[in-house]
């Protein structure tokens, strides 16, 4: 079975670990969000691609869900000693190696998709990891700071500001001019099922869908598209999805996110058991829906979620 997954960072990566356990023989292609990418210290950092690669490759810092395990921060300390910032983004020594290799290859003229493939040669994530595009797309957030309205890079909003101020707007800068990376549209066209994991619907899945051609390819793929709600009990399971959902006028509920994606895209939607009352509303939007446990409390729980998603996809295929 060929499965395509649109993944952001921590939630998407953890879901993928469960999907691999639930469907060990499946051929999984991950279309990774690159809107979180940031250029720091002359290096290109790709948080969501790295989180998928490290999580599935066994190098992730499990508690954090990002960055490398067994990290040290000597480079970060030395940079700070020189007064070279920013200090608010925690790049570890091991992680720096990934960004140096990536930047070296990009400077040599390799596209991000080729770079990602090369990095995955080491990590062997057991999925094909494609960036959504090889073009530069960076999500910026419009905020009101000290009485003035400004746009800050997503990472500054997320990490330095901890999403403590309302997001007035979320803009994937460069998305309109970007094109799907090699292999993305082909993977979607050849997929037997397409999954939206519990990633941020605005800055992760939403950003991937903002690359011209990807949303249309998924809508026209003619195979089941099933998503899992990142919102449980009217709150994001992790992160601050509610802050960016507000920016796009979507209430922070499991049903509202399904409606936001729409029946033109989604055939099925899983909500957590605490949101069982949302099932009727989601079905009324023309999307199959089931309430199952959605807390990724461990590999087995996550694998069960993935099985539920694949089951719902088969029901949608028959419907
Ligand atoms: N998240 C934080 O909350 N604090 C950090 O200092 C931080 C550093 C960081 C470094 C590399 C990397 O790949 C991810 C990092 N993240 C950090 C997480 C990152 O902001 C998020 O994983 C994604 O951008 C959103 O999914």
């Amino acid at each position: 079975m060929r499965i395509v997954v649109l993944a952001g960072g921590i939630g998407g990566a953890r879901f993928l670990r469960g999907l691999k356990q639930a469907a060990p023989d499946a051929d999984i292609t991950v279309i990774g969000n690159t809107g979180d990418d940031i250029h720091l210290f002359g290096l290109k950092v790709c948080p969501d691609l790295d989180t998928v690669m490290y999580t599935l490759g066994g190098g992730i810092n499990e508690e954090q869900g990002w960055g490398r395990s067994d990290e040290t921060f000597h480079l970060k300390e030395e940079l700070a000693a020189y007064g070279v910032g920013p200090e608010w983004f925690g790049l570890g020594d091991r992680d720096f190696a990934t960004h140096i290799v990536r930047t070296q290859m990009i400077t040599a003229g390799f596209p991000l998709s080729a770079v990602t493939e090369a990095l995955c040669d080491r990590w062997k994530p057991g999925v094909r990891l494609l960036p959504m595009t090889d073009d530069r797309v960076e999500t910026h957030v419009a905020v009101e700071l000290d009485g003035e309205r400004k746009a800050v890079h997503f990472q500054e909003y997320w990490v330095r500001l901890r999403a403590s101020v309302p997001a007035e707007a979320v803009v994937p800068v460069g998305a309109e001019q970007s094109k799907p990376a090699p292999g993305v549209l082909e993977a979607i066209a050849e997929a037997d099922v397409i999954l939206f994991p519990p990633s941020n619907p605005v800055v992760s899945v939403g950003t991937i869908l903002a690359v011209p051609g990807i949303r249309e390819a998924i809508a026209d793929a003619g195979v089941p598209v099933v998503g899992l709600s990142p919102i449980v009990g009217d709150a994001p399971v992790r992160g601050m999805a509610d802050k960016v959902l507000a920016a796009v006028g979507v209430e922070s509920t499991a049903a509202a996110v399904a409606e936001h994606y729409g029946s033109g895209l989604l055939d099925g939607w899983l909500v957590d058991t605490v949101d069982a009352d949302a099932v009727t509303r989601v079905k009324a939007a023309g999307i199959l829906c089931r309430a199952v446990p959605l807390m990724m409390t461990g590999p087995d729980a996550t694998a069960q979620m993935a099985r539920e998603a694949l089951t719902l996809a088969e029901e949608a295929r028959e419907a």
Side-chain angles (χ1 to χ4, degrees):
M1 173 190 279
R2 291 179 298 257
I3 305 173
V4 165
V5 184
L6 273 59
I10 301 162
R14 287 190 172 152
F15 173 77
L16 281 162
R17 208 163 35 189
L19 178 63
K20 280 176 64 182
Q21 184 177 318
D25 303 330
D27 170 5
I28 301 170
T29 298
V30 179
I31 300 173
N33 170 43
T34 60
D36 291 6
D37 294 2
I38 185 168
H39 289 74
L40 293 172
F41 312 110
L43 301 172
K44 182 180 178 72
V45 180
C46 300
D48 282 357
L49 297 181
D50 291 348
T51 291
V52 170
M53 185 173 73
Y54 290 157
T55 299
L56 300 185
I60 196 74
N61 175 318
E62 194 61 49
E63 302 69 50
Q64 279 178 171
W66 51 265
R68 285 279 285 106
S69 51
D70 310 320
E71 256 307 5
T72 51
F73 293 89
H74 302 299
L75 205 42
K76 183 171 177 345
E77 288 154 15
E78 289 302 302
L79 287 162
Y82 281 114
V84 173
E87 291 193 41
W88 46 265
F89 200 68
L91 284 173
D93 298 326
R94 295 182 186 278
D95 199 25
F96 262 111
T98 300
H99 313 316
I100 290 167
V101 171
R102 176 184 293 119
T103 307
Q104 203 168 284
M105 289 187 71
I106 285 179
T107 306
F110 292 95
L112 182 59
S113 45
V115 174
T116 305
E117 193 175 352
L119 294 173
C120 285
D121 278 350
R122 170 193 172 185
W123 288 102
K124 304 201 181 338
V127 301
R128 189 166 165 235
L129 177 55
L130 302 175
M132 65 190 200
T133 177
D134 281 339
D135 303 316
R136 183 164 174 174
V137 176
E138 291 190 7
T139 300
H140 285 233
V141 181
V143 294
E144 184 98 11
L145 276 184
D146 314 323
E148 60 163 312
R149 190 176 159 87
K150 60 193 287 197
V152 294
H153 187 285
F154 169 75
Q155 293 298 348
E156 181 168 2
Y157 177 70
W158 202 250
V159 178
R160 188 175 75 80
L161 299 176
R162 309 265 12 119
S164 57
V165 293
E168 314 274 330
V170 175
V171 183
V173 177
E176 278 173 25
Q177 295 73 31
S178 72
K179 54 187 178 309
V184 165
L185 295 183
E186 294 81 353
I188 291 168
E190 291 160 14
D192 296 307
V193 61
I194 299 169
L195 300 178
F196 291 8
S199 287
N200 188 307
V202 178
V203 296
S204 293
V205 177
T207 304
I208 299 168
L209 294 173
V211 175
I214 292 184
R215 175 189 289 272
E216 298 79 0
I218 292 171
D220 299 344
V223 295
V225 179
V226 171
L228 297 94
S229 178
I231 302 292
V232 170
D234 299 354
V237 174
R238 183 190 173 101
M240 297 156 262
D242 50 330
K243 304 281 184 166
V244 290
L245 278 166
V248 295
V250 176
E251 63 181 6
S252 179
T253 67
V257 175
E259 291 166 348
H260 172 61
Y261 283 133
S263 58
L265 212 48
L266 277 187
D267 299 301
W269 185 247
L270 291 180
V271 300
D272 187 84
T273 46
V274 302
D275 296 308
D277 59 347
V279 171
T280 312
R281 179 172 153 190
V282 175
K283 284 181 173 174
I287 301 166
L288 290 181
C289 187
R290 177 163 297 133
V292 299
L294 285 189
M295 298 308 283
M296 295 190 279
T297 49
D300 294 343
T302 312
Q304 184 52 30
M305 283 162 58
R307 273 189 285 274
E308 292 284 2
L310 294 175
T311 301
L312 192 57
E314 288 319 305
E315 288 172 23
R317 199 188 307 275
E318 307 306 321

